Amino acid sequence: MNFPNDFLWGTATASYQIEGAALEDGRGECIWTRFSHTPGNVLNGDTGDVACDHYHRYESDIALMADMGVPAYRFSISWPRVIPAGTGAPNSAGLDFYDRLVDQLLEANIRPFATLYHWDLPQALQDRGGWENPDVVQWFVDYARLMGERLGDRVKDWMTLNEPWVVAFLGNYTGEHAPGKQDLKAAYQVAHHLLLAHGEAVPVIRQAVPDARVGIVLNLNYVDAASDSEADQQAARRHEGYANRWFLDPVFKGHYPPDMVDWLGDTLDGIDLEAVKVAAVPTDFMGINYYTRNMFAHDDTGDFKTRTVHPDHDRYTKMNWEIYPEGLTKLLVQVTEEYSPNKLYITENGAAFDDPAPINGVVEDTDRVDYLKAHFEAGSAAIAQGVPLAGYFVWSFMDNFEWAWGYTRRFGIVHVDYATQARVPKRSALLLQEMIKQQA
Ligand code: FCB
């Protein structure tokens, strides 16, 4: 493997998945609080009420990161912790928490990367229509300004949104995520407002933060067709349009993909498609979350007339996501050729497996070690092909609340015993440490 000298290694988490303290110190309810407390939405009825209790344990968590020598940490800010009603009066206890977190990261020599929106919308805003309400753009911009002004003297790396496709479509089309709607039209409204919010927030962050570096994070899986048939090729192209290009095209080219606009027809009624040009605001980097390949065949039913195909082998994670590191190289090369990004980070990559129990202070998570090594190699191969990949954040620093799967899916490179909140590094944490050492 070959990474440039200034290549940046890190780990990533998200507020709702780790913080806990769900209603403490004035934090407002978020859509995941409401959603997870509604029976049937999350496996085993799990909620993020306590999660990894990171709100109270952030000091020892950062100390552990420092021991590992991790140079960068991507975390997210809980909007309802800092503005409980989503708009209006900030909550000083919430702001203080992020102050302390950032101060301690800097003391430990860890570069903070802050994500403004990793899915925990204030419930009070959902009650006003949430991301479907056009006013959400201004609500988000005001929140972004508040955080930029508060942390911008110390935090220089900012991400507006995490995975707008997931927010829009798992939240409002399949209903697997909060707020749990099943309405394709609503999902496109949400996607549109997310893109506008990104576009409007970037200059506001730049204004508030001297020397800010700002970007957006997209989830991009590598998309393949199940066969060479024209119908399957078209199906794959449509899925790529639905999941990847619907966001990539606006962000880099300032318009929606024309083939998908045609396909969707009156589903897009009421959306001012032209307005999306604001999403093409210049940024300093794009973050890509890569986990797997998605393969499609044509199907006569459904909104997109596609059917997922699972290649017949045993390389799958506990999420039933295919292990396909080559896809990372191919995807990075594709994005670079099609969109010429100035700088890319892998902002998430990792895997859930059934880990063995900790023995003598370490978890031997061989599957995850193999997964990560193969993907690091894929990243290195992409760089050799001219991809401007500048860093790599492993998902996740520690096991945490995996959304609809609750605590049953562990992605951490640090094991969490939820009964005692004890943290035990896994072998994969040592792998990351090795990568970092080679860098030095
Ligand atoms: C991504 C999310 C992250 C985590 C991983 C497994 O889609 O951004 O919060 O759940 O998947």
Side-chain angles (χ1 to χ4, degrees), residues 157-410:
D157 299 283
W158 291 83
M159 285 151 289
T160 52
L161 306 173
N162 179 68
E163 303 192 348
W165 178 82
V166 172
V167 176
F169 294 96
L170 297 194
N172 300 276
Y173 177 44
T174 71
E176 290 160 77
H177 281 190
K181 281 186 83 155
Q182 295 188 347
D183 177 343
L184 187 59
K185 259 185 104 127
Y188 277 100
Q189 298 271 358
V190 166
H192 187 61
H193 295 145
L194 285 160
L195 284 161
L196 301 188
H198 162 70
E200 300 283 356
V202 170
V204 168
I205 298 167
R206 290 201 196 289
Q207 213 172 35
V209 182
D211 314 318
R213 296 172 290 260
V214 195
I216 189 171
V217 172
L218 302 184
N219 55 297
L220 301 176
N221 291 332
Y222 181 70
V223 180
D224 240 345
S227 82
D228 289 339
S229 81
E230 183 56 25
D232 288 354
Q233 297 284 329
Q234 292 289 339
R237 180 83 186 141
R238 262 194 317 280
H239 181 83
E240 208 176 53
Y242 162 57
N244 294 1
R245 288 184 288 119
W246 197 257
F247 297 91
L248 282 166
D249 282 15
V251 162
F252 286 103
K253 301 179 175 174
H255 59 74
Y256 286 116
D259 59 326
M260 293 311 292
V261 171
D262 282 351
W263 178 267
L264 290 160
D266 57 15
T267 302
L268 302 175
D269 279 359
I271 299 178
D272 174 8
L273 298 174
E274 288 278 299
V276 85
K277 62 178 180 290
V278 71
V281 61
T283 54
D284 300 278
F285 64 87
M286 183 174 72
I288 294 179
N289 296 349
Y290 176 85
Y291 288 95
T292 188
R293 159 168 79 167
N294 296 143
M295 191 179 271
F296 289 90
H298 176 85
D299 195 272
D300 281 328
T301 61
D303 291 311
F304 297 94
K305 301 210 183 310
T306 59
R307 174 172 55 84
T308 300
V309 172
H310 292 286
D312 184 19
H313 57 63
D314 59 1
R315 296 183 301 278
Y316 286 88
T317 71
K318 173 99 176 170
M319 299 296 283
N320 205 24
W321 294 350
E322 188 194 5
I323 301 174
Y324 192 67
E326 310 89 296
L328 177 57
T329 315
K330 294 186 200 179
L331 175 85
L332 289 169
V333 169
Q334 256 178 12
V335 167
T336 301
E337 283 174 355
E338 180 68 28
Y339 300 99
S340 311
N342 46 6
K343 185 193 268 205
L344 297 173
Y345 289 114
I346 303 296
T347 33
E348 289 181 25
N349 172 248
F353 291 107
D354 279 326
D355 296 328
I359 301 175
N360 298 329
V362 66
V363 172
E364 294 294 348
D365 60 338
T366 317
D367 292 335
R368 188 172 296 97
V369 166
D370 292 346
Y371 177 98
L372 286 175
K373 261 194 198 156
H375 286 78
F376 294 164
E377 271 161 20
S380 160
I383 294 172
Q385 292 180 51
V387 170
L389 182 64
Y392 204 119
F393 294 78
V394 172
W395 183 271
S396 176
F397 169 63
M398 59 184 158
D399 296 333
N400 57 48
F401 176 79
E402 180 47 36
W403 309 113
W405 297 95
Y407 296 100
T408 65
R409 298 294 184 275
R410 292 173 177 271

Side-chain angles (χ1 to χ4, degrees), residues 8-83:
L8 190 65
W9 293 98
T11 64
T13 64
S15 46
Y16 189 76
Q17 295 180 275
I18 64 165
E19 283 181 4
L23 297 172
E24 240 174 272
D25 288 348
R27 177 185 177 277
E29 190 187 358
C30 78
I31 56 175
W32 272 94
T33 329
R34 178 73 60 92
F35 186 76
S36 64
H37 278 269
T38 308
N41 285 338
V42 176
L43 207 59
N44 299 326
D46 289 343
T47 75
D49 286 1
V50 177
C52 308
D53 196 32
H54 176 72
Y55 185 74
H56 298 114
R57 293 167 195 268
Y58 71 95
E59 287 186 279
S60 46
D61 285 337
I62 296 172
L64 186 53
M65 277 179 225
D67 283 348
M68 286 163 53
V70 182
Y73 175 51
R74 173 177 177 240
F75 65 97
S76 82
I77 295 163
S78 160
W79 186 345
R81 195 179 291 291
V82 295
I83 312 176

